[in-house]
Amino acid sequence: MMNILYKSTRGDGSKITASQAILKGLSDDGGLFVPDSLPKLHISLEKLAEMDYREVAFEVMRLFLTDFTDQELKYCIDNAYDSKFDTEEIAPVRKIGDAYIMELFHGSTIAFKDMALSILPYLMTVAARKNNITNDIVILTATSGDTGKAALAGFADVPGTKIIVFYPKGGVSRIQELQMVTQKGANTFVVGVKGNFDDCQSAVKKMFNDPSLKELLNGKKCQFSSANSINIGRLVPQIAYYVWAYSRLVKNGEIKAGDKVNFVVPTGNFGNILAGFYASLMGLPVNRFICASNENKVLYDFFKTGVYDKNREFILTSSPSMDILISSNLERLIYMISGNSEEQNKAFMKSLSENGRYEIPEESRAQLSAFYGGFASEEENAEGIKETYEQTGYITDTHTGVANAVYKKYVSETGDRTPAVIVSTASPYKFSRAVMTAIDPELDSLDDFALIDELNRKSNVDIPKAVKDIIDADIRHDTVCEIGEMEQKVKGFLGINE
Ligand SMILES: *Cc1c(COP(=O)(O)O)cnc(C)c1O
C-alpha cells in the first residue's frame, strides 16, 4: 500500500503524516492539508457491494490514513459507526421519484456532519497517542449550525479534550440553537456571536494562527485543533460514503459496476462535495458532481464565470448550514487545478482576503468539467419540497430541498439521465418550521413542537431521539458576545489570565 503524506496548500512542500495533519487541523501558514497523491481504489466495486458500512469505510480510509494501523483504524470506525446511528445501514440509499437519496442524517445530531464528527474524536485521540502528545486538545470551532452540535456530541467528556463552539446568534434555526445550548459535558463551551458565520469563521482562523495565543495555551498544557470541515480527519471519512452509495446501487442491481452516476450535493463550505470528487479521482465512476447552492450562490457564479467573488449581500435562508460566502474547502480544489502550485494558490487566497475575490485562468477552469454549479431560490426550494411530498410522500429537509430543486433544473437544462444520487444532509425534523410551511403555509401558526408532531403525522417517520432529547433539556450555555470579544471568551474558558 502506498504511503500517503500531507502538505499545505500554502506551504513550502514539506510533508507530515496523516495523524499529524489531523492533530494540526490547519497548517501554520494558514493553508489546508492535502494528500501528496490520491490513492486508487484497490478493491473491486462488486466486492465493496458485499460489505457493510464499516467495512467500506475501512477500505477507503486506510488508503488515506496510512500511518494508522489496521487495528487503530478499526477501533475508530467501530466506535463511531455504532448504535449512535438509528439504522444498521448507517447511510441508507433509497429510490425516491426518479433519483436516489442517500440519507446522511441517521447519527446522533441528525445531520451529515455526524458522518465525520462521530469518528474525529477517535481519530484525534489515537493520533495524539501516536505522536506522544500530552497537552489537552482544545477543539475550537465556528459553526453555521450543524457542525457545532455534531462536534459537541462527538467530543463531550472525551478525556484529554475540550471543545469551544461559536455560532452566529440569530443565524441558526431554533432547534439547532437548542441542541447546542443544552449540550452536557464539563469540557464543553458554547457561545453565540453577534455576527454571521463568516465573521465567526474568520475570528477562529485568526486565533489558530496567533503565535502568542499558542504560547499562552501551551502554558496551560493545551493546544488548539480544529473540528471544522477543513480538517482532513473530517474529509477522509466523508469520501467513504460516496463509495458506499455507489456500492449500494450495484448491490441492488440499479447499476452495473463501472456505470457512471451523478451526485447532487447541497453545498456550503465545499467539504462534502470535495470528498466526492476525491472518491472519483480514486476511480469511482462518476459523470458529474452537481454543486447545489442556495441564494448565497458564490459557487454557482464561480463555476459559471471562473470568478470567485464574496463581495455581495449575505442572505439568511431556510438552509442556514449553506449560508456561506467563503467556502473554505474550495481552496483544496483551487490548489489542485492550479497544478498543485502553492505560489499560485497563495496569490488567489491573498486576493480573496484582501479584495474578496479572485479569478482563475482559462486552463484551470478547463479542469472543472466534472462540476456543474446550480442554485435554488427560496421559492424554488419550498415548491420543490411540497411537490416531492405530494408526488412521493417523502419529506426532505431544506438543504436537501436545494439539491432536489437544482437537480430538477439540471435535468431539464441538460437532458442528462445518468442515475443520480442526491446527497441528503439533514433530517427534516431539524428544520421542521421551514419544511412544514413549505408544504402548508398555514402551519406557521403552530409552535415548534406542534410542528414536529405534524411532521411526524405527515411523513410517517418516527421522531428522532435527537429531537425528543431537547424537548425538556436544561439550557446550560447562555454566553453571547461581540465578534471582538471571542478571544477573551476562549481565554476565560481555558483559565488564561494575562
Ligand atoms: C454543513 C451542511 C451542508 C454543507 O456542507 P459543506 O461540506 O459545508 O458543503 C449542507 N447541509 C447541511 C444540513 C449541513 O449541515
Side-chain angles (χ1 to χ4, degrees):
M1 212 165 61
M2 202 168 37
N3 191 28
I4 304 283
L5 293 170
Y6 291 80
K7 56 184 174 170
S8 165
T9 51
R10 303 185 198 177
D12 55 10
S14 59
K15 297 178 184 182
I16 59 177
T17 62
S19 65
Q20 288 165 339
I22 289 171
L23 284 169
K24 281 191 84 71
L26 191 68
S27 175
D28 291 334
D29 50 45
L32 276 56
F33 291 113
V34 286
D36 61 354
S37 69
L38 279 163
K40 292 282 170 228
L41 265 180
H42 58 303
I43 194 164
S44 77
L45 296 163
E46 288 92 344
K47 266 232 170 70
L48 287 160
E50 289 162 17
M51 296 182 177
D52 70 12
Y53 190 86
R54 283 176 287 272
E55 291 166 328
V56 171
F58 175 71
E59 293 302 338
V60 173
M61 290 178 64
R62 68 197 295 239
L63 299 176
F64 284 91
L65 307 183
T66 52
D67 70 325
F68 283 65
T69 65
D70 285 359
Q71 199 188 1
E72 285 167 340
L73 190 55
K74 279 192 176 140
Y75 158 81
C76 295
I77 288 172
D78 290 347
N79 278 289
Y81 305 117
D82 62 4
S83 59
K84 285 193 284 304
F85 285 76
D86 65 11
T87 161
E88 277 284 313
E89 290 174 282
I90 305 296
V93 179
R94 320 177 179 279
K95 180 139 204 214
I96 303 290
D98 51 12
Y100 303 91
I101 293 214
M102 170 162 57
E103 296 182 347
L104 296 180
F105 54 76
H106 289 274
S108 51
T109 74
I110 58 175
F112 101 97
K113 306 288 193 295
D114 289 327
M115 299 304 295
L117 283 165
S118 50
I119 194 167
L120 186 67
Y122 295 99
L123 295 174
M124 229 173 226
T125 45
V126 168
R129 204 162 59 222
K130 294 179 84 65
N131 290 280
N132 305 315
I133 306 269
T134 53
N135 278 350
D136 274 3
I137 304 288
V138 179
I139 301 298
L140 186 64
T141 291
T143 183
S144 57
D146 291 330
T147 296
K149 178 60 188 184
L152 286 161
F155 282 91
D157 289 328
V158 172
T161 71
K162 292 189 168 71
I163 172 160
I164 304 171
V165 171
F166 291 103
Y167 71 93
K169 182 82 190 160
V172 302
S173 83
R174 181 68 189 141
I175 302 280
Q176 285 178 312
E177 184 170 32
L178 276 174
Q179 280 188 309
M180 289 190 278
V181 298
T182 57
Q183 178 65 47
K184 297 192 179 118
N187 65 339
T188 65
F189 185 44
V190 179
V191 183
V193 178
K194 295 182 193 160
N196 64 34
F197 170 71
D198 288 326
D199 298 327
C200 297
Q201 173 109 309
S202 301
V204 161
K205 275 196 168 180
K206 214 170 122 226
M207 285 189 257
F208 266 112
N209 292 327
D210 179 347
S212 62
L213 190 57
K214 189 174 176 175
E215 239 354 85
L216 288 170
L217 255 74
N218 210 14
K220 284 274 166 192
K221 304 246 3 126
C222 287
Q223 66 189 64
F224 281 142
S225 194
S226 166
N228 266 17
S229 66
I230 48 179
N231 194 309
I232 61 126
R234 280 189 56 185
L235 198 59
V236 169
Q238 292 177 179
I239 301 170
Y241 54 71
Y242 285 89
V243 177
W244 164 257
Y246 188 98
S247 73
R248 289 317 91 178
L249 297 189
V250 172
K251 181 186 163 90
N252 298 336
E254 305 283 352
I255 58 170
K256 289 193 308 295
D259 289 351
K260 293 209 166 182
V261 301
N262 288 337
F263 282 101
V264 190
V265 189
T267 304
N269 248 326
F270 209 75
N272 194 356
I273 195 168
L274 182 76
F277 186 54
Y278 277 8
S280 73
L281 298 175
M282 293 171 75
L284 194 72
V286 179
N287 173 49
R288 272 268 166 81
F289 289 96
I290 298 158
C291 175
S293 299
N294 65 23
E295 290 179 0
N296 294 293
K297 59 184 184 57
V298 181
L299 288 166
Y300 165 81
D301 293 337
F302 171 69
F303 285 118
K304 211 172 171 70
T305 63
V307 177
Y308 193 95
D309 188 350
K310 70 152 190 124
N311 300 309
R312 61 182 75 203
E313 192 194 342
F314 182 92
I315 302 168
L316 290 176
T317 72
S318 58
S319 46
S321 303
M322 295 156 63
D323 289 346
I324 287 169
L325 293 181
I326 303 176
S327 303
S328 324
N329 268 293
L330 187 69
E331 180 171 344
R332 290 187 164 106
L333 182 66
I334 297 298
Y335 172 79
M336 185 184 294
I337 62 173
S338 304
N340 296 333
S341 161
E342 288 85 358
E343 284 319 308
Q344 195 163 13
N345 176 60
K346 260 200 306 214
F348 291 137
M349 295 308 135
K350 185 158 180 272
S351 170
L352 180 63
S353 80
E354 286 171 5
N355 314 314
R357 73 191 292 283
Y358 58 85
E359 176 165 10
I360 60 166
E362 211 34 65
E363 64 268 26
S364 297
R365 278 188 75 187
Q367 296 175 59
L368 294 175
S369 59
F371 293 93
Y372 170 95
F375 77 99
S377 68
E378 289 291 274
E379 293 73 32
E380 288 167 330
N381 189 4
E383 276 163 26
I385 289 170
K386 183 177 160 94
E387 193 181 295
T388 301
Y389 169 63
E390 285 170 351
Q391 289 173 357
T392 68
Y394 186 83
I395 300 182
T396 72
D397 93 294
T398 43
H399 302 74
T400 312
V402 168
N404 256 328
V406 166
Y407 179 57
K408 268 191 204 123
K409 290 208 254 186
Y410 172 78
V411 171
S412 72
E413 196 180 307
T414 62
D416 179 8
R417 289 282 172 187
T418 304
V421 178
I422 291 166
V423 177
S424 177
T425 50
S427 160
Y429 280 101
K430 200 154 189 176
F431 301 95
S432 46
R433 178 164 305 274
V435 166
M436 295 311 286
T437 53
I439 292 172
D440 178 359
E442 306 235 312
L443 295 173
D444 205 18
S445 59
L446 300 182
D447 73 29
D448 286 333
F449 296 109
L451 278 170
I452 285 167
D453 288 335
E454 186 61 22
L455 174 53
N456 175 241
R457 226 175 42 76
K458 279 203 157 54
S459 66
N460 263 322
V461 173
D462 290 342
I463 299 175
K465 184 172 175 302
V467 172
K468 287 189 189 142
D469 281 354
I470 56 169
I471 292 180
D472 21 58
D474 295 333
I475 307 283
R476 299 189 65 257
H477 304 271
D478 57 3
T479 309
V480 175
C481 76
E482 304 288 339
I483 300 157
E485 296 170 335
M486 290 169 65
E487 185 170 325
Q488 226 30 64
K489 293 291 168 202
V490 168
K491 288 179 178 165
F493 179 62
L494 298 177
I496 294 170
N497 26 33
E498 289 160 286

